Amino acid sequence: MLGIVRQKMLEQSLKKIPPAVSVLRSYSSAAKQMTIRDALNSALDEEMSADSKVFLMGEEVGEYQGAYKITKGLLDKYGPERVLDTPITEAGFTGVAVGAAYYGVKPVVEFMTFNFSMQAIDHIINSAAKTNYMSSGQISVPIVFRGPNGAAAGVGAQHSQCYAAWYASCPGLKVLAPYSSEDARGLLKAAIRDPDPVVFLENELLYGESFPVSDEVLDSSFCLPIGKAKIERKGKDVTIAAYSKMVGYALKAAETLEKDGIDAEVINLRSIRPLDRSMINASVRKTSRLVTVEEAFPQHGVGAEICVSIVEESFAYLDAPVERIAGADVPMPYAANLERMAVPQVEDIVRAAKRTCYRSVS
Amino acid sequence: MNSASCAAKISTQPFSLNPTSPTSHDNPLVFPKPTSFFLGSTRKLRLSSSSKLNLHRRSGTVVAVSDVVKQKKSKSTPSLLITKEEGLELYEDMILGRAFEDMCAQMYYRGKMFGFVHLYNGQEAVSTGFIKLLKQQDSVVSTYRDHVHALSKGVPARAVMSELFGKTTGCCRGQGGSMHMFSREHNLLGGFAFIGEGIPVATGAAFTSKYKREILKEADCDHVTLAFFGDGTCNNGQFFECLNMAALWKLPIVFVVENNLWAIGMSHLRATSDPQIYKKGPAFGMPGIHVDGMDVLKVREVAKEAIGRARRGEGPTLVECETYRFRGHSLADPDELRDPAEKAYYAARDPITALKKYLIENSLASEADLKAIDKKIDEVVEDAVEFADESPVPSRSQLLENVFADPKGFGIGPDGRYRCEDPKFTEGTAHV
């Protein structure tokens, strides 16, 4: 993992840059921009060329170039045997991919959105996640399930659910949620190389967003470790933990909070399962306050899990109750104004952070 | 094996399966069970009755009849289907399956086995007929009724019995159980509790066989996959999805339907709009074959064709085996809904008795030979029980093992290092 060592050295050398300037640029001096779409595409391309066992499977991944163009150009490069357009049979093709993975080939299954994975969830949980355990280590399942997750824009209730909490509750699965292009590249490569089933939750609205990437990130051996979160912005007054799109919102909220004299630390979870409890706890022990942010339904969510982790391990350090911000507890409405209300906004994060600060004793 | 009389028996037998069945089958063709024939083929297997029913079933793709079968038909004197060695091998495998399952029932009632146990008594001809034709690298995917598939595939009886007892010497070290038999060495890919779940997995294994040959350039990879499942599963969406994909991509797989007419207490006729499952093959572009699953020799002939097709790269086949389970769905099933007359009818067609009769009548083996095999198998099964009894239960540290192939998946502990690197990690219990 030389890439990580070099990245850490890079980070240390950049600490001298004041946070206000480099909120989104704290890990790069090269500042080459890359969209998430290109990051994912290049990661898939590189992993497929490095290992002929890797193949793609999903609806419209081939000739259509990907429903969201993530797999653009891969059919021409690798041919129809490695980039398979499937019929609309989620349960069937997911099971086929899992069965293929039993034999050591490495499928990357694309769900057009993770909502459709509900038709295949039996195979994700029962045939993939549990098999290494049930067979006592004889059969491992090196498979990746990827696709857009969570709310998009105006797509209605059946296309907007976030599945992080559902999959993260299941032992045997690893669940990743990238935010930036660096995350997307590094985590997807790690997922494809991983010998266990990985659920890789992307976000449709982030596909077109550009992030700066260093040469490190562009190297074909770049890989991020699974299970480690990242501190996107260092702070000392309140910890804001988020994943996927909400990291961007949290960073914007941190900028707003700074004007009010509150220095927020933003953690990009990156890995929902396993959750980097040690980093979150270390951060909370430093700041004494926590706000968790997610787009998903509140009950039994990722925020609830983080809250319990803090209560179990760092209760004495808390100066205020944990604030858990989540999506509204309703199926996603269609109307644009209602949709806006159903998903956390930057103002919600700012308000919650302020609440934690004003509740302090000192 | 006089098939003509069998056919006659079926049509006159009064089946009062469900007098209030919503679909009335006035058409006598709907539920006859003729003996084996190939759909769409104008040729018939030597053993099948030249029943008029065959003429009504010209649909779907024509199945190529193998040269071996053609050759047999051209001989004027009837030749035997198996040699003595093969016959004894088949007999031994079926007796092992029967004795093992009977022992499971005994052990269950003594409390040594627990949970869900589904026994295979009566269906041995299907498992033996198909699996004994496979190589070790071919794979088998089954459902929860998988003990005998495991045994036929070569998993030692000791390993299966220990697994059922939940001991650490079981084939999955006690972590799988009755319904989840896996063996990497013998390419037994489970053991699935959800019906229909194994079919896509089997299709995937067949997919890998093709992928290995074409992309990974392992030119001699001609591994075949068999998927075993029941009549109830044939109404499940995943079954149709996989018939489609297997035919579309010409995968080396054989879909074997063990139609024992009952899905727990639901009769196949009550659950299915068109109970003739083999017809569903041609709808997807593959041959659909019906065979008498109580006759191991017929099953073996059909299996040879189907497995041969798959190995040659000609694509999938759907084989419907008419069979019957002598016991209930599981050991917890009181089995009250099945007509005793139906049970008696199939008990008279016990595949083991039939094979025994065939071997003796054709002088392939003597009574003494067969009794010797019976005795040997009894000893094997008793030894398996003793071994399982004496084996240790899994240690506490085994609870957290094998959740991930890469145990870093348990994440980072409070000290900032990966949990799995902590030597005391496996001493914990449920809370990680």
Side-chain angles (χ1 to χ4, degrees):
Chain A
M1 296 281 181
L2 265 178
I4 309 307
V5 171
R6 278 187 275 170
Q7 194 194 359
K8 280 201 177 117
M9 282 162 47
L10 207 58
E11 265 182 14
Q12 278 166 2
S13 67
L14 288 167
K15 264 183 193 163
K16 296 166 199 154
I17 303 176
V21 168
S22 66
V23 151
L24 289 171
R25 292 171 173 69
S26 54
Y27 41 74
S28 156
S29 53
K32 177 173 191 284
Q33 299 282 331
M34 190 181 222
T35 59
I36 302 273
R37 184 174 280 119
D38 290 337
L40 294 170
N41 186 286
S42 61
L44 287 170
D45 194 354
E46 286 162 21
E47 291 304 303
M48 284 181 81
S49 91
D51 185 353
S52 56
K53 293 206 198 102
V54 179
F55 68 95
L56 304 185
M57 200 171 199
E59 293 157 7
E60 311 294 6
V61 294
E63 290 187 12
Y64 198 78
Q65 310 297 324
Y68 296 99
K69 307 296 181 237
I70 306 297
T71 51
K72 188 170 175 175
L74 296 176
L75 174 67
D76 287 332
K77 210 166 165 190
Y78 297 103
E81 292 99 4
R82 289 184 70 194
V83 179
L84 281 118
D85 277 325
T86 61
I88 307 177
T89 49
E90 271 77 11
F93 72 69
T94 307
V96 169
V98 171
Y102 281 12
Y103 274 104
V105 288
K106 298 185 179 185
V108 178
V109 177
E110 172 171 312
F111 290 115
M112 204 180 274
T113 76
F114 261 93
N115 299 276
F116 306 155
S117 75
M118 289 199 286
Q119 298 207 326
I121 200 167
D122 173 36
H123 283 291
I124 300 176
I125 309 286
N126 278 329
S127 323
K130 295 182 183 170
T131 295
N132 199 58
Y133 193 78
M134 288 196 296
S135 70
S136 191
Q138 292 177 80
I139 296 176
S140 78
V141 191
I143 192 171
V144 177
F145 304 103
R146 51 159 291 271
N149 175 57
V155 291
Q158 293 186 349
H159 282 73
S160 306
Q161 189 165 338
C162 172
Y163 291 87
W166 281 26
Y167 289 120
S169 73
C170 184
L173 275 184
K174 296 179 182 170
V175 181
L176 303 176
Y179 162 61
S180 61
S181 302
E182 177 187 335
D183 291 351
R185 259 182 72 82
L187 293 177
L188 185 55
K189 278 163 164 300
I192 294 175
R193 296 178 200 175
D194 197 276
D196 289 306
V198 181
V199 171
F200 192 82
L201 305 171
E202 302 157 5
N203 188 298
E204 193 208 320
L205 298 176
L206 283 180
Y207 282 151
E209 266 198 49
S210 283
F211 294 84
V213 283
S214 63
D215 291 332
E216 219 53 75
V217 175
L218 293 172
D219 184 60
S220 67
S221 63
F222 177 66
C223 199
L224 288 174
I226 294 181
K228 282 197 145 79
K230 182 182 183 209
I231 298 184
E232 294 282 350
R233 181 192 197 279
K234 275 203 150 39
K236 56 177 174 52
D237 291 329
V238 59
T239 301
I240 306 180
Y243 63 90
S244 191
K245 189 147 143 284
M246 293 290 119
V247 175
Y249 282 31
L251 289 168
K252 289 203 192 97
E255 279 177 39
T256 312
L257 287 166
E258 200 175 1
K259 299 192 187 101
D260 283 326
I262 297 176
D263 189 17
E265 176 151 293
V266 176
I267 297 183
N268 172 4
L269 291 174
R270 281 185 170 172
S271 175
I272 313 294
R273 185 178 185 106
L275 205 49
D276 194 351
R277 291 167 221 266
S278 109
M279 188 185 285
I280 304 170
N281 275 285
S283 172
V284 171
R285 287 175 189 212
K286 188 174 69 168
T287 63
S288 309
R289 294 157 224 278
L290 176 64
V291 176
T292 67
V293 191
E294 63 196 295
E295 244 184 355
F297 299 140
Q299 189 163 343
H300 306 301
V302 176
E305 179 63 31
I306 295 177
C307 184
V308 162
S309 175
I310 301 299
V311 164
E312 283 175 351
E313 294 176 36
S314 311
F315 184 67
Y317 294 80
L318 280 176
D319 283 344
V322 174
E323 292 276 344
R324 183 253 319 255
I325 302 176
D329 201 13
V330 300
M332 184 66 71
Y334 169 68
N337 63 325
L338 292 180
E339 193 180 31
R340 228 181 352 261
M341 288 196 275
V343 171
Q345 303 296 333
V346 177
E347 305 79 56
D348 298 316
I349 306 176
V350 170
R351 262 205 312 275
K354 283 185 176 168
R355 274 201 303 263
T356 62
C357 291
Y358 295 155
R359 282 195 196 142
S360 68
V361 174
S362 55
Chain B
M1 317 272 174
N2 192 333
S3 46
S5 64
C6 265
K9 252 192 194 167
I10 295 163
S11 52
T12 55
Q13 187 75 9
F15 280 118
S16 52
L17 292 167
N18 190 337
T20 58
S21 167
T23 54
S24 60
H25 292 286
D26 298 324
N27 186 347
L29 285 178
V30 171
F31 189 59
K33 288 291 186 182
T35 48
S36 50
F37 54 83
F38 284 90
L39 262 201
S41 169
T42 49
R43 294 170 176 274
K44 301 166 196 77
L45 267 192
R46 195 177 61 82
L47 286 183
S48 69
S49 60
S50 41
S51 145
K52 278 180 250 172
L53 298 164
N54 284 337
L55 296 173
H56 294 275
R57 284 179 176 74
R58 302 254 217 100
S59 57
T61 52
V62 174
V63 177
V65 180
S66 71
D67 287 339
V68 173
V69 180
K70 280 184 205 155
Q71 207 180 14
K72 282 197 181 123
K73 282 194 270 236
S74 63
K75 285 191 187 158
S76 49
T77 51
S79 57
L80 296 169
L81 284 171
I82 44 171
T83 63
K84 175 177 179 169
E85 290 74 35
E86 286 169 355
L88 292 178
E89 188 195 2
L90 296 178
Y91 183 77
E92 185 171 332
D93 194 53
M94 292 209 286
I95 287 284
L96 174 61
R98 182 68 61 89
F100 190 91
E101 297 291 72
D102 283 338
M103 185 60 79
C104 283
Q106 266 193 56
M107 292 297 116
Y108 188 84
Y109 295 126
R110 282 195 211 165
K112 302 257 178 84
M113 234 179 257
F114 36 88
F116 287 130
V117 179
H118 307 84
L119 299 180
Y120 202 74
N121 298 49
Q123 300 182 197
E124 295 87 359
V126 180
S127 176
T128 302
F130 269 93
I131 300 180
K132 282 306 174 196
L133 290 170
L134 295 180
K135 305 187 289 203
Q136 179 153 7
Q137 300 95 325
D138 293 325
S139 48
V140 167
V141 178
S142 178
T143 56
Y144 43 73
R145 206 178 295 282
D146 57 351
H147 307 168
V148 179
H149 294 138
L151 294 169
S152 291
K153 194 67 177 56
V155 182
R158 280 184 163 192
V160 182
M161 192 61 85
S162 297
E163 183 63 29
L164 293 170
F165 280 34
K167 300 291 174 85
T168 200
T169 46
C171 57
C172 299
R173 300 201 302 159
Q175 288 178 211
S178 165
M179 300 187 285
H180 305 294
M181 297 276 166
F182 289 87
S183 168
R184 168 49 84 208
E185 187 193 337
H186 300 279
N187 289 301
L188 173 68
L189 303 180
F192 288 96
F194 282 48
I195 59 152
E197 191 180 346
I199 305 177
V201 171
T203 312
F207 177 88
T208 303
S209 173
K210 191 162 178 254
Y211 191 88
K212 277 187 186 165
R213 193 174 56 241
E214 291 173 8
I215 310 293
L216 301 179
K217 306 292 178 213
E218 291 173 26
D220 55 351
C221 181
D222 60 351
H223 306 326
V224 166
T225 306
L226 298 185
F228 289 94
F229 48 94
D231 43 286
T233 309
C234 296
N235 295 325
N236 190 274
Q238 290 179 88
F239 168 61
F240 298 108
E241 293 183 12
C242 291
L243 286 183
N244 179 42
M245 286 192 278
L248 185 67
W249 295 328
K250 270 189 138 174
L251 300 180
I253 183 171
V254 183
F255 295 101
V256 184
V257 184
E258 295 169 321
N259 183 353
N260 57 22
L261 301 176
W262 291 90
I264 306 187
M266 189 64 166
S267 146
H268 178 54
L269 299 181
R270 279 181 69 210
T272 318
S273 57
D274 184 348
Q276 293 174 305
I277 300 170
Y278 62 84
K279 281 207 251 174
K280 300 178 188 187
F284 288 92
M286 71 179 81
I289 301 165
H290 176 277
V291 67
D292 176 4
M294 303 306 272
D295 179 342
V296 67
L297 298 175
K298 288 187 191 145
V299 172
R300 197 178 147 89
E301 286 305 301
V302 168
K304 270 192 207 161
E305 257 309 296
I307 293 173
R309 251 178 67 85
R311 243 190 251 295
R312 290 189 298 271
E314 290 166 26
T317 315
L318 175 66
V319 181
E320 178 186 354
C321 303
E322 176 201 346
T323 181
Y324 202 74
R325 53 171 162 83
F326 293 158
R327 288 181 182 264
H329 163 74
S330 71
L331 288 173
D333 175 19
D335 194 15
E336 290 158 343
L337 292 173
R338 299 195 298 177
D339 186 2
E342 184 190 73
K343 291 190 209 176
Y345 170 71
Y346 281 100
R349 290 166 62 191
D350 187 332
I352 294 178
T353 328
L355 180 65
K356 196 168 171 181
K357 189 158 168 267
Y358 182 86
L359 290 173
I360 293 179
E361 277 177 6
N362 290 289
S363 310
L364 286 170
S366 63
E367 279 271 2
D369 289 336
L370 300 180
K371 278 217 160 38
I373 293 181
D374 289 347
K375 190 160 175 293
K376 174 178 159 204
I377 293 298
D378 275 338
E379 281 166 22
V380 165
V381 174
E382 284 201 23
D383 165 74
V385 173
E386 258 183 58
F387 175 77
D389 249 337
E390 287 160 18
S391 297
V393 289
S395 63
R396 202 170 132 124
S397 61
Q398 203 182 304
L399 181 68
L400 293 174
E401 285 174 20
N402 301 129
V403 179
F404 295 107
D406 164 24
K408 292 208 199 96
F410 278 110
I412 296 171
D415 58 358
R417 293 184 326 161
Y418 283 105
R419 284 203 152 85
C420 57
E421 288 162 8
D422 176 0
K424 291 186 128 200
F425 172 58
T426 52
E427 286 173 29
T429 53
H431 176 70
V432 177

